[in-house]
Amino acid sequence: MSNYHIKGLEEYYQVYRKSVENPELFWEEIAEENFIWRKRWDTVLEWDFEKPEVKWFEGAQLNITENCLDRHLYHRGDKTAILFEPNDPKDPAEHITYKELHKRVCKFANVLKDKGIKRGDRVCIYVPMIPELIVSMLACARIGAVHSVVFAGFSSAALRTRINDASCKMVITSDGSFRGSKTIDLKGIVDEACKETPSVDSVLVVKRIRSEVHMEDGRDHWVAPLLEKASIDCPAETMEAEDPLFILYTSGSTGMPKGMLHTTAGYMIYSSYTFKNVFQYREEDVYWCSADIGWITGHSYIAYGPLANGATSVLFEGVPNFPDWGRFWEVIDKHKVNQFFTAPTAIRALAKEDLSHVMKHDLSSLKVLGTVGEPINEEAWHWYNNNIGKKNCPIVDSYFQTENGGIMLSPIAYATPTIPTYATLPIPGIQTCLMDEEGNEIKGNQVSGRLCIKFPWPSIARTIWGDHKRYKDTYFSTFKGKYFTGDGALRNETGYYRITGRVDDVIIVSGHNLGTAPIEDAINEHPDVAESAIVGFPHDIKGNALYGYVTLKEAGKQRNPDTVRKEINQLITENIGAIAKLEKIQFTNGLPKTRSGKIMRRILRKIATGEGDNLGDISTLLNPEVVEAVKQGNQLM
Ligand code: PRX
């Protein structure tokens, strides 16, 4: 893996230059030297952002699980692949070696086959952060089935939408999950979801919390007895480079989530390359990403990226505050973690607690710290740097999206000098640019604009499952010939990027990507609601929180406002999940609209963030008179 580690800023610039001058050659060398292939590719890249279509390594054949498991068996068979740290620290950690993981994946894959799952079938995985989650993902990949992991905090309605969108044939779940001192009835949620999922033939159930659950005759099966009987021999299916590997849903600007489709070879190469370089992972390191596998960060940086590098990856089932706020630091101390990767929202919550929770633990094993998922504010950055890294660990503020498959902008640990709040420089191969609203590229430094990518990278999502037109409209239509991220960014005098936040209707709350449309759809289901609009406003811990403006029908206005607020949040919890609950709900008599009837969120956003005196010209609105009333209502919140 000679060309894999970038060792300094100068080397970074050299590698970057090469990756831009000849991207095909750049990725071809990486593909050749670092992976095993059943058949070599015919072409490295074919692309057309107008269609849009992107194909990497056409003609190549491989199986990603051979790259993540089989090839490590000889040299690293007894090395820990997954270090499972359970929710309760009184329970022992589990060290799953590459040999053991390989065996478990093969057995699970045989169970899938036995239940009729074939190449190309979609399998929904709704499992908490336990080893079976990774095992079942890899088992799908082993036989060429497409996994669709749904974050096990989503409601039954959200789960059902996702199962139906991809016509999943099977759901894998567990009896329940542990979350700190609580348990969650996952099987009950799946049962509710599967009342209207005609494509689902079978539900496999992992035993985790040992609760009593309903098992539907003919449909539901406990996994353990099936695994016991299953053979450990499961040859890997030969996959084409562009065969689908997984679908992962993300929010969009309509109620329907977008099933981003990732394919095999490109995703493998890019998640692996970025993992190794950004974190400067070395053979003996213990690496921990505390994200949930239900998000892209977990797919790429707990499962595929680390395993493709033969790494030891910690899988943590728990939460940061159970049994106390020292849990993260205890885990780092206990397993001598070298690289730790988490979300700014977790850092902000932890920074609010007494420092004694940190001081009790020896964190000297740490070499690299990472953050991902949302902008990190300066205060949180310094707290992390001073108290966790002890000013000795570079902080890699890494930026990417579900659609990207892997990190797009980030310092390379020990190579790129960091500046708080800056995601710094693009990863080699990522051709970033900033665009103005008229569609012109903004050249030079000390500028800001909309962040776009000019050239394909190996792990770009290839389509939205079942809706290629939406894929084109969302990402390739705003700026001709470019992928548009939906984020704003600035480029400073040295060419470093700082992500300034979404410029569309997506709001990042605690690192979770939430579209306003599905939340508004949920609220509008309430019989007393006439209309609603959601905006984000700054929040100490969550980064952003949700602010709802809701206009009630006459009957609703007669009711106790707090009861209606509770009912609205209950509807959101049922339709999406608790992560999308509103922090504040202001009742209004009307919402400001353009003459074409579009709600003016810009105005509502300013009012929610306390900038209501600075709204600019509102005389062109259809109903400028409502603005004053909305402002007054806001002051009472
Ligand atoms: O707005 C950006 C923000 O998260 C969005 C992508 O969300 P999602 O697809 O859920 O993936 C999150 C995990 C990779 C982006 O459009 N975002 C992500 N990382 C950062 C960020 N904003 C600022 N700084 C980051 N490091």
Side-chain angles (χ1 to χ4, degrees), residues 250 296-297 371-375 397-403 485 487 499 502 508 511 513:
T250 186
I296 189 70
T297 305
T371 72
V372 65
E374 54 180 324
D397 175 352
S398 63
Y399 163 85
F400 74 116
Q401 312 175 292
T402 308
E403 295 84 340
T485 59
D487 284 300
I499 309 298
R502 300 290 307 194
I508 310 288
N513 188 333

Side-chain angles (χ1 to χ4, degrees), residues 197-216:
T197 51
S199 57
V200 173
D201 294 338
S202 52
V203 175
L204 297 187
V205 189
V206 176
K207 209 167 250 185
R208 177 59 188 151
I209 64 169
R210 306 192 170 273
S211 58
E212 283 283 320
V213 295
H214 163 75
M215 294 294 277
E216 183 96 6

Side-chain angles (χ1 to χ4, degrees), residues 20-39:
V20 171
E21 280 163 10
N22 196 340
E24 278 96 337
L25 180 68
F26 176 76
W27 290 114
E28 181 164 46
E29 280 178 12
I30 289 171
E32 240 158 25
E33 286 179 30
N34 301 287
F35 301 94
I36 50 168
W37 304 89
R38 293 220 174 146
K39 177 175 167 284

Side-chain angles (χ1 to χ4, degrees), residues 203-506:
V203 175
L204 297 187
V205 189
V206 176
K207 209 167 250 185
R208 177 59 188 151
I209 64 169
R210 306 192 170 273
S211 58
E212 283 283 320
V213 295
H214 163 75
M215 294 294 277
E216 183 96 6
D217 239 10
R219 184 194 72 180
D220 300 353
H221 312 274
W222 290 107
V223 171
L226 297 175
L227 283 173
E228 211 154 285
K229 283 189 285 179
S231 154
I232 57 164
D233 189 25
C234 180
E237 184 82 13
T238 303
M239 305 304 290
E240 303 295 325
E242 282 295 336
D243 274 339
L245 176 64
F246 65 84
I247 298 169
L248 187 60
Y249 286 88
T250 186
S251 299
S253 53
T254 71
M256 197 61 197
K258 296 174 289 191
M260 303 314 307
L261 182 75
H262 285 282
T263 57
T264 307
Y267 175 79
M268 170 182 80
I269 291 168
Y270 196 76
S271 59
S272 164
Y273 179 77
T274 46
F275 167 74
K276 182 115 177 184
N277 272 291
V278 169
F279 299 102
Q280 292 290 303
Y281 182 84
R282 304 272 159 180
E283 183 67 46
E284 63 288 353
D285 289 343
V286 175
Y287 158 91
W288 177 22
C289 167
S290 76
D292 195 286
I293 292 187
W295 312 118
I296 189 70
T297 305
H299 278 58
S300 304
Y301 300 111
I302 300 177
Y304 289 110
L307 295 175
N309 281 286
T312 297
S313 179
V314 174
L315 176 70
F316 177 54
E317 186 188 25
V319 291
N321 60 348
F322 175 80
D324 62 45
W325 282 100
R327 190 72 206 283
F328 273 10
W329 323 127
E330 182 217 333
V331 173
I332 291 173
D333 188 356
K334 178 172 169 191
H335 297 301
K336 301 295 166 225
V337 169
N338 302 110
Q339 290 93 358
F340 176 57
F341 191 26
T342 195
T345 188
I347 298 168
R348 287 190 292 265
L350 290 158
K352 282 213 159 2
E353 301 304 317
D354 201 278
L355 257 190
S356 61
H357 289 299
V358 179
M359 296 313 196
K360 268 198 280 212
H361 303 286
D362 175 9
L363 304 181
S364 60
S365 56
L366 286 171
K367 298 196 286 194
V368 177
L369 297 175
T371 72
V372 65
E374 54 180 324
I376 179 160
N377 50 311
E378 207 150 339
E379 207 184 339
W381 193 97
H382 285 296
W383 185 87
Y384 200 32
N385 186 38
N386 295 341
N387 299 300
I388 307 306
K390 320 282 182 198
K391 297 190 180 161
N392 269 326
C393 304
I395 296 180
V396 292
D397 175 352
S398 63
Y399 163 85
F400 74 116
Q401 312 175 292
T402 308
E403 295 84 340
N404 307 148
I407 296 170
M408 303 292 276
L409 290 158
S410 175
I412 303 286
Y414 291 101
T416 317
T418 59
I419 306 181
T421 76
Y422 279 77
T424 72
L425 297 167
I427 298 293
I430 305 304
Q431 300 190 28
T432 40
C433 64
L434 295 177
M435 304 294 291
D436 69 19
E437 282 176 46
E438 278 75 53
N440 305 307
E441 183 171 345
I442 309 168
K443 303 265 180 164
N445 289 339
Q446 282 193 294
V447 291
S448 56
R450 282 146 199 244
L451 182 65
C452 291
I453 319 288
K454 294 194 235 186
F455 194 86
W457 61 99
S459 65
I460 182 175
R462 303 303 197 255
T463 190
I464 293 174
W465 182 263
D467 198 347
H468 199 65
K469 180 173 180 303
R470 189 176 181 196
Y471 174 71
K472 178 175 176 159
D473 292 347
T474 311
Y475 305 108
F476 298 92
S477 298
T478 316
F479 300 107
K480 202 171 156 37
K482 297 186 174 61
Y483 168 88
F484 175 39
T485 59
D487 284 300
L490 65 80
R491 192 162 54 217
N492 78 358
E493 60 287 355
T494 58
Y496 273 21
Y497 286 87
R498 176 186 189 178
I499 309 298
T500 46
R502 300 290 307 194
V503 293
D504 56 9
D505 288 345
V506 170

